[in-house]
Amino acid sequence: MGRITLENVTKTFGDVTVIPPLNLTIEDGEFVVFVGPSGCGKSTLLRLIAGLEDVSGGQIRIDGEDATNLAPAKRKLAMVFQSYALYPHMTVRKNIAFPMKMAGIDQAEQDRRIEAAAKALNLTDYLERRPGQLSGGQRQRVAIGRAIVREPSAFLFDEPLSNLDAALRVGMRMEISELHKKLATTMVYVTHDQVEAMTMADKIVVLQAGVIEQVGSPLDLYRAPRNRFVAGFIGSPKMNFIEGAEAAKHDAQCIGIRPEHLTASASDGQWKGVVGVSEHLGSDTFLHVHDTGLAETMTVRVGGEFALHHGDTVYLTPEADKIHKFDAQGLRIE
Amino acid sequence: MATQHSRSAARIMIAPAVILLLGWMLVPLVMTLYFSFKKYLPLRGGDLGWVGFENYSRFVTSSSFWPSIATTLTLVVSVLVITVVLGVLLALLLDRPMWGQGIVRILVIAPFFVMPTVSALIWKNMFMDPINGLLAHLWRAFGAEPIQWMSQASMPSIIIIVSWQWLPFATLILLTAIQSLDGEQLEASEMDGAPPVKRFWYIILPHLSRAITVVVLIQTIFLLAVFAEIFVTTGGAFGTKTLSYLIFQRVLESQNVGLGSAGGVYAIILANIVAMFLMRIVGKNLD
Ligand SMILES: Nc1ncnc2c1ncn2[C@@H]1O[C@H](COP(=O)(O)OP(=O)(O)OP(=O)(O)O)[C@@H](O)[C@H]1O
Ligand SMILES: [Mg+2]
């Protein structure tokens, strides 16, 4: 079980309010991802749930019980830190055993759980090594191993993959998702990488300056962002925003269209522009189009190979039903 | 650029330092060895020729030799234990955010700046004096008979004085070590269910082991040579005669340079034995 409820939780450091009153429910077994720009309070929120910071107001409930003033160890949550926070003087085995040793679990059971975790995480050959003798990905797995042997009611991850290289990150992303499917335990995951958020989450929580901008499934957020901030934050490359006369045609202050919902043509189309930089990724090409009179630059996704070059004229056409409309407050207009 | 030219230039540049250091260390060492094989009595005939190993055998067979070794080791070990234990506790305390932290830290470090002679005299006359000392007043305030520190508790007195001088050093090194501990490790252990005492035992203490090793090794070198504190307090009486004090007495009070030099060579050997033991015990932390 691991249902976490935050009710009017606030956090202030001195006279700086980092989290204004915030309400959120995390259902049992859910994979929830907190995303947001740097400094928006993601880590703070996670640490409040973990009990590493005291709340300034409000209530945190875990499985229905008030946990607001409970010590971190009593909350039955396990945390994986960005720096892994392994104990450098202990072997991998002792690192993984540490929480069980603290809980007074008997030796046979400890060994059983360590073997199981090591097998699941491919650590069997490294059990007698120290963290200093492991690669980044292996350290990450040890940190996860140390978390799972406690059999917690929820896992908390704070940017666990940010110290890994791109290829390893994709691999670990899959492993964590796999682990979630297998354990079916609640996971709360902090990241500022929206690709991680989109691929792993059951539910994404988009934060800005401590305020929840939107909560929903990855595709909900992609299809129907509640406001301009979420629209710009979710999706890569970023959504194109157009203001002024073109937006007024749609009875909106601002309209947004994603790069993948624009088609580019050399001969005809709705908007005319000049090709700037083009980024070739092999499978896709992203064109940055200037001088459209709509926005500074418009980004367009086109097929793998595209015949236009820097300085060529290009015509863009949006898919009419994929245009997002926003009002003067930046809120979505249906 | 490591050309032939720059390399020879570098050699010339560092030559003065190397020569100075060599002279500094080699000349006294060679002179000690030289005199240890001679009968040399400055006020009773001067250089009376080579005597082989006679000084060495006389020094060890003297009835003061083994007691002086025991005293030296007692002093070194006691001060090490006291400074490391109290140093760790003080460092933990100073690491906490508190009001007036800067001033408290300076106060803690202050004893280190007081010269050994001065601090020993202050302790002897202001604290431990059986009639006017602060401690005597304290004892009397509780209706107890003041202790004659220098005669009845001579070794404890010197251990207290020397520990007081070295505690700041230990505290300072251990404090920087504590501050270098990754906060996330402590938080992780807190989430893993370790109460404060276990966090100290399993996380902080292992992290400090390296710093403790450094403190122990450096202090040992200096503690083996403690002299001023003994000279101005008990003058080597009441069982406080360490090896270095014994050597001093042989050379200056008995005016026997040869015998003292042989003692000096024994002191070098003792220092190396102690260092080897320490390396064995704690040195595995310095990988
Ligand atoms: N101990 C503290 N004292 C004062 N302010 C703090 C403290 N911890 C965090 N803050 C402030 O709270 C805000 C949120 O910090 P937090 O670490 O939660 O950001 P974040 O969303 O995790 O950012 P990042 O993606 O860069 O990790 C920041 O503006 C930060 O300066
Ligand atoms: Mg953070």
Side-chain angles (χ1 to χ4, degrees):
Chain A
M1 282 294 283
R3 185 170 191 271
I4 302 167
T5 319
L6 307 183
E7 269 176 20
N8 292 317
V9 168
T10 62
K11 179 67 189 173
T12 53
F13 289 109
D15 47 5
V16 185
T17 302
V18 176
I19 311 242
L22 178 146
N23 291 289
L24 179 68
T25 302
I26 296 166
E27 297 295 341
D28 182 36
E30 241 179 357
F31 198 120
V32 174
V33 175
F34 294 168
V35 278
S38 189
C40 69
K42 306 180 295 286
S43 300
T44 307
L45 195 55
L46 198 71
R47 291 166 59 81
L48 288 173
I49 296 174
L52 295 171
E53 302 275 1
D54 293 324
V55 297
S56 310
Q59 203 183 41
I60 296 175
R61 275 186 282 133
I62 299 175
D63 290 333
E65 280 172 47
D66 184 4
T68 317
N69 296 311
L70 221 52
K74 300 256 163 65
R75 299 189 183 196
K76 295 200 222 88
L77 307 175
M79 184 147 167
V80 175
F81 292 83
Q82 183 173 358
S83 68
Y84 315 138
L86 299 178
Y87 310 129
H89 50 278
M90 298 183 197
T91 60
V92 169
R93 179 185 293 279
K94 287 197 175 136
N95 261 285
I96 297 177
F98 189 73
M100 295 190 281
K101 188 167 160 188
M102 291 301 116
I105 292 171
D106 73 70
Q107 193 61 45
E109 175 65 10
Q110 283 191 22
D111 289 339
R112 194 191 62 73
R113 289 197 202 173
I114 292 171
E115 294 309 328
K119 202 153 150 263
L121 295 163
N122 279 326
L123 287 170
T124 312
D125 296 341
Y126 309 108
L127 280 178
E128 303 312 323
R129 292 214 203 158
R130 297 216 179 169
Q133 301 162 318
L134 298 178
S135 73
Q138 290 163 345
R139 280 181 217 182
Q140 182 62 68
R141 282 201 283 266
V142 176
I144 294 173
R146 192 173 65 184
I148 59 179
V149 292
R150 291 180 57 197
E151 302 181 347
S153 53
F155 291 95
L156 309 176
F157 294 90
D158 191 354
E159 308 206 17
L161 306 185
S162 56
N163 289 341
L164 303 180
D165 69 51
L168 208 51
R169 208 180 290 186
V170 175
M172 283 305 298
R173 209 160 75 195
M174 309 271 258
E175 281 186 40
I176 294 176
S177 293
E178 199 68 48
L179 194 69
H180 177 243
K181 295 273 179 311
K182 206 160 69 192
L183 300 175
T185 310
T186 313
M187 291 191 176
V188 185
Y189 189 104
V190 164
T191 180
H192 55 236
D193 179 350
Q194 55 107 2
V195 177
E196 272 173 33
M198 294 296 283
T199 52
M200 301 171 86
D202 292 325
K203 185 158 101 182
I204 295 182
V205 177
V206 183
L207 288 162
Q208 188 192 13
V211 177
I212 296 183
E213 295 288 350
Q214 190 169 5
V215 179
S217 76
L219 286 181
D220 282 348
L221 264 57
Y222 178 80
R223 289 204 198 104
R226 211 169 62 86
N227 56 31
R228 266 186 76 166
F229 177 78
V230 178
F233 198 79
I234 300 290
S236 168
K238 246 174 82 115
M239 184 185 277
N240 299 297
F241 290 108
I242 302 165
E243 290 181 351
E246 193 62 36
K249 283 187 202 161
H250 293 86
D251 299 321
Q253 173 74 24
C254 169
I255 58 170
I257 180 81
R258 294 190 188 279
E260 54 270 38
H261 298 145
L262 281 169
T263 43
S265 155
S267 50
D268 54 83
Q270 196 169 333
W271 299 320
K272 184 179 168 212
V274 179
V275 177
V277 174
S278 42
E279 298 171 305
H280 296 278
L281 302 180
S283 60
D284 288 317
T285 300
F286 295 112
L287 294 184
H288 295 265
V289 179
H290 303 282
D291 299 327
T292 51
L294 304 166
E296 185 82 12
T297 40
M298 298 279 285
T299 313
V300 194
R301 189 184 76 175
V302 291
E305 279 151 56
F306 197 67
L308 289 177
H309 299 286
H310 193 274
D312 290 352
T313 301
V314 66
Y315 294 89
L316 306 177
T317 312
E319 290 175 37
D321 59 339
K322 297 282 168 57
I323 293 176
H324 303 266
K325 292 178 278 185
F326 302 99
D327 66 15
Q329 278 75 48
L331 290 176
R332 180 182 186 79
I333 306 171
E334 285 303 333
Chain B
M1 210 168 51
T3 58
Q4 194 67 40
H5 187 74
S6 69
R7 250 179 278 141
S8 56
R11 266 191 216 119
I12 294 167
M13 298 288 205
I14 62 168
V18 171
I19 290 167
L20 194 71
L21 274 177
L22 272 181
W24 204 272
M25 298 193 303
L26 274 183
V27 171
L29 182 65
V30 170
M31 281 179 71
T32 307
L33 281 171
Y34 172 80
F35 283 121
S36 69
F37 293 106
K38 292 208 118 168
K39 190 175 176 77
Y40 187 80
L41 308 167
L43 295 182
R44 287 172 283 155
D47 191 347
L48 299 176
W50 300 98
V51 290
F53 282 92
E54 196 195 306
N55 285 327
Y56 286 91
S57 55
R58 265 188 66 193
F59 196 88
V60 277
T61 48
S62 134
S63 62
S64 332
F65 178 72
W66 287 110
S68 78
I69 297 276
T71 309
T72 309
L73 294 180
T74 312
L75 179 70
V76 170
V77 173
S78 315
V79 174
L80 283 179
V81 170
I82 292 172
T83 50
V84 169
V85 171
L86 291 184
V88 169
L89 295 178
L90 262 179
L92 283 173
L93 205 65
L94 290 180
D95 186 42
R96 309 244 119 203
M98 60 177 161
W99 191 81
Q101 200 167 41
I103 291 177
V104 171
R105 283 190 187 166
I106 289 173
L107 285 179
V108 168
I109 297 160
F112 204 48
F113 299 122
V114 181
M115 280 176 280
T117 326
V118 176
S119 77
L121 283 172
I122 290 173
W123 271 95
K124 180 187 178 188
N125 296 316
M126 292 180 68
F127 291 101
M128 293 172 164
D129 188 279
I131 294 150
N132 283 321
L134 272 180
L135 294 177
H137 285 298
L138 188 69
W139 255 247
R140 265 186 234 113
F142 287 100
E145 183 69 18
I147 300 178
Q148 309 269 336
W149 284 96
M150 291 307 147
S151 50
Q152 290 171 351
S154 48
M155 256 332 256
S157 308
I158 288 178
I159 289 169
I160 290 172
I161 295 170
V162 177
S163 299
W164 182 79
Q165 281 170 13
W166 282 95
L167 186 55
F169 172 76
T171 307
L172 210 60
I173 302 260
L174 294 170
L175 178 62
T176 52
I178 284 182
Q179 287 174 340
S180 75
L181 177 59
D182 175 17
E184 286 197 343
Q185 265 179 47
L186 283 178
E187 289 179 342
S189 63
E190 197 178 342
M191 293 217 58
D192 282 346
V197 174
K198 286 194 175 159
R199 281 210 288 279
F200 172 75
W201 190 254
Y202 289 109
I203 313 292
I204 298 177
L205 208 55
H207 175 78
L208 288 183
S209 61
R210 209 173 270 234
I212 291 176
T213 311
V214 170
V215 167
V216 166
L217 288 177
I218 292 181
Q219 284 197 15
T220 304
I221 294 167
F222 286 93
L223 292 177
L224 282 170
V226 161
F227 174 77
E229 293 85 338
I230 301 171
F231 184 73
V232 302
T233 53
T234 61
F238 309 112
T240 58
K241 199 184 290 171
T242 60
L243 184 57
S244 54
Y245 202 86
L246 182 66
I247 295 168
F248 159 78
Q249 284 190 333
R250 290 288 182 262
V251 174
L252 278 151
E253 290 175 11
S254 324
Q255 287 292 327
N256 191 335
V257 174
L259 194 57
S261 299
V265 174
Y266 281 121
I268 294 170
I269 295 168
L270 176 71
N272 278 290
I273 293 173
V274 171
M276 227 155 64
F277 263 104
L278 289 173
M279 288 295 211
R280 275 285 157 72
I281 300 165
V282 286
K284 61 177 186 288
N285 295 318
L286 290 178
D287 45 16

